Amino acid sequence: MYDEKGNRYLDCINNVAHVGHCHKDVVKATSDQLGLLNTNNRFLHDTLVIAARKLVSTLPEPLSVCYFVNSGSEANDLALRIARAYTKNKDIICLDHAYHGHLTSLMEISPYKYQRGKFPKRKYVHVAPIPDGYRGVLRGENNSELGRMYADKVREVIESAVGEGRSVAAFIAESAPSCAGQVILPPDYLRNVYRYVREAGGVCIADEVQIGFGRTGKYWWGFQLQGEDVVPDIVCVGKSMGNGFPVAAVVTTKEIARSLAATGIEYFNTYGGNPASCAAALAVMEAVEKDNLRENAVKVGRYLLNSLKRLADKHTLIGDVRGVGLFIGIELVLDRETRTPATNQAQQIIARMKEDFILLSTDGPDRNVIKIKPPMTFNTENADTLVSHLDSSLGEIAAMASTQEFIENEPKLIKSEDLTSIKR
């Protein structure tokens, strides 16, 4: 990316520009469609059908019915509506620290937001522990045993809700929780959770807004990391779907889709699935294939992950490095034993990296996890640049701490000139 002064930035965080900023094929497909026809969905057009067919082809059966919307928030909201129409239930199970969108219906099932805003939790919302093997209520290596143990926590939530006379409509979770701190779900977690939820009469919603369209590398979708037999009932996609153009979608089964139609309340979205948005989405999916971006995510993701793990051997501020494909988190801690979040240090590193024209951000409940979700065109040279500058920034922070000029947990940031003097 370049600013108005011609400065060149390395974008390590923009997962909206999925196939790269201003990808020529996406730009051409969208502009050509704008020059031909772009109207609301009262008018049928082939591009909608073609884009839907392409999207469905990337998903396992029986996911075959598409609803186009404008954003990930709209997609998740519609998924709740569909789930409640199908099950005739209202209660939703979500994960702690989850974020699913900015609509009122989604803020209610996003502890990441409503806890910070000190909003009361709704009675029909049930929160299960985030399956985080590093900082969660159960800790250990991400393996099947940990996955089953965390799944049992969801089963306990279901039993508690049923014991109160409530009925479950859906379980919703990101296939790799992002705002919770770039968490990779342990093996067998979704397999067991989906079984418990379905036994309770609910459906399973996979929020792929952050992780979808090949970001994991090997697969198109994050839930596929859990096994070929792990298939959600409803999948929500968005964000990277249009490479910056507003488009998102919900995909479900024919059986579940019929239940929404049976309510008698027509689903209609004026701009969801308009010709230009569908042209953008189709071009993105084609670019992922033509440019071999899933293969690139495997190669570069593995290279970057290994480089960051070597960096952790050098800097004790790094408590954990985790990820898959081009979805990576670096958790910073003050002490590796106590795992005290290094929140202030994480924010300082982000600011320092920006001065070096490298764009990063933080997430997690303590904002101490540096998240890396770059455009899928990210290459090994970009990875080397990122790691090199991160190495320098971590060294500066350590030097500042050793001179006792760094005050732990102080909310203000150190001035950049102070860091420069330390570096010299």
Side-chain angles (χ1 to χ4, degrees):
M1 295 177 64
Y2 299 83
D3 65 15
E4 71 281 5
K5 297 179 181 178
N7 294 311
R8 181 186 182 190
Y9 288 82
L10 178 60
D11 185 355
C12 304
I13 189 58
N14 198 332
N15 62 334
V16 174
H18 191 63
V19 297
H21 291 279
C22 304
H23 190 288
K24 60 182 180 60
D25 292 344
V26 179
V27 171
K28 185 177 187 308
T30 309
S31 59
D32 284 353
Q33 185 62 55
L34 282 169
L36 178 65
L37 171 72
N38 196 41
T39 184
N40 65 57
N41 282 342
R42 295 289 183 191
F43 300 89
L44 298 177
H45 56 95
D46 291 343
T47 313
L48 186 150
V49 177
I50 296 169
R53 184 179 294 145
K54 181 64 178 177
L55 178 58
V56 167
S57 73
T58 68
L59 289 157
E61 295 182 357
L63 297 166
S64 59
V65 179
C66 292
Y67 298 87
F68 283 96
V69 294
N70 300 296
S71 69
S73 290
E74 276 196 5
N76 285 334
D77 178 76
L78 179 57
L80 297 186
R81 178 180 161 189
I82 293 171
R84 285 165 171 158
Y86 180 70
T87 64
K88 306 297 190 295
N89 301 330
K90 184 175 184 179
D91 289 33
I92 305 296
I93 299 172
C94 62
L95 297 181
D96 200 8
H97 311 306
Y99 174 64
H100 294 291
H102 62 81
L103 278 68
T104 299
S105 63
L106 303 174
M107 293 289 283
E108 292 175 350
I109 62 168
S110 298
Y112 179 81
K113 288 292 186 180
Y114 75 65
Q115 288 175 352
R116 293 184 180 187
K118 298 181 173 60
F119 301 129
K121 185 176 78 66
R122 303 295 185 182
K123 289 184 179 180
Y124 52 81
V125 176
H126 310 278
V127 182
I130 184 76
D132 180 355
Y134 183 76
R135 185 173 293 282
V137 295
L138 302 172
R139 299 181 179 182
E141 184 181 351
N142 263 13
N143 53 33
S144 294
E145 181 182 3
L146 188 68
R148 287 191 294 269
M149 291 168 66
Y150 267 114
D152 284 343
K153 293 293 183 182
V154 177
R155 178 176 51 79
E156 292 170 8
V157 169
I158 293 172
E159 291 173 348
S160 176
V162 172
E164 296 172 1
R166 310 196 68 89
S167 299
V168 176
F171 166 83
I172 184 170
E174 289 182 274
S175 299
S178 178
C179 288
Q182 303 291 98
V183 176
I184 304 302
L185 301 179
D188 283 346
Y189 176 71
L190 288 183
R191 174 178 288 107
N192 288 289
V193 168
Y194 283 7
R195 175 164 57 89
Y196 296 148
V197 171
R198 287 164 177 156
E199 288 173 352
V203 297
C204 304
I205 303 171
D207 181 343
E208 293 275 343
V209 172
Q210 296 267 17
I211 193 68
F213 291 99
R215 180 159 294 278
T216 64
K218 185 176 181 180
Y219 302 106
W220 273 96
W221 309 106
F223 66 82
Q224 292 174 307
L225 293 168
Q226 295 274 299
E228 292 183 2
D229 59 327
V230 179
V231 181
D233 302 296
I234 303 172
V235 176
C236 301
V237 300
K239 201 172 286 292
S240 55
M241 186 175 180
N243 218 56
F245 213 84
V247 60
V250 177
V251 187
T252 189
T253 67
K254 290 181 180 179
E255 179 186 2
I256 293 175
R258 289 190 193 102
S259 66
L260 182 63
T263 63
I265 303 174
E266 177 191 13
Y267 168 73
F268 178 73
N269 190 312
T270 301
Y271 292 114
N274 69 78
S277 291
C278 286
L282 182 60
V284 167
M285 289 184 279
E286 290 174 343
V288 169
E289 293 180 336
K290 188 179 75 171
D291 299 343
N292 298 315
L293 295 183
R294 284 169 52 204
E295 292 83 353
N296 185 68
V298 171
K299 174 188 172 183
V300 178
R302 184 184 298 120
Y303 179 84
L304 178 55
L305 200 62
N306 289 334
S307 298
L308 292 171
K309 287 180 177 178
R310 287 194 294 272
L311 205 60
D313 294 335
K314 180 178 179 181
H315 298 282
T316 58
L317 195 62
I318 298 178
D320 189 41
V321 176
R322 52 185 177 261
V324 60
L326 289 175
F327 180 91
I328 295 173
I330 309 167
E331 181 146 0
L332 303 186
V333 295
L334 298 177
D335 184 282
R336 287 182 174 177
E337 293 299 319
T338 62
R339 303 185 183 183
T340 304
T343 301
N344 193 34
Q345 290 84 344
Q347 303 311 308
Q348 184 59 53
I349 286 173
I350 296 304
R352 185 67 185 88
M353 294 288 279
K354 185 178 179 181
E355 292 179 349
D356 287 341
F357 305 105
I358 296 175
L359 303 179
L360 286 166
S361 186
T362 59
D363 238 323
D366 299 295
R367 296 181 65 227
N368 67 314
V369 179
I370 297 175
K371 58 181 179 179
I372 302 173
K373 293 181 291 187
M376 295 275 283
T377 51
F378 206 75
N379 58 36
T380 53
E381 181 183 349
N382 300 146
D384 286 339
T385 300
L386 167 61
V387 173
S388 175
H389 283 267
L390 188 57
D391 184 19
S392 297
S393 295
L394 286 163
E396 292 173 11
I397 293 295
M400 190 68 79
S402 67
T403 59
Q404 298 185 344
E405 292 181 31
F406 193 101
I407 302 173
E408 303 295 0
N409 298 318
E410 181 73 17
K412 67 181 181 180
L413 299 178
I414 297 172
K415 296 179 180 178
S416 60
E417 54 264 32
D418 294 336
L419 285 174
T420 303
S421 65
I422 291 294
K423 188 175 183 179
R424 285 200 297 264

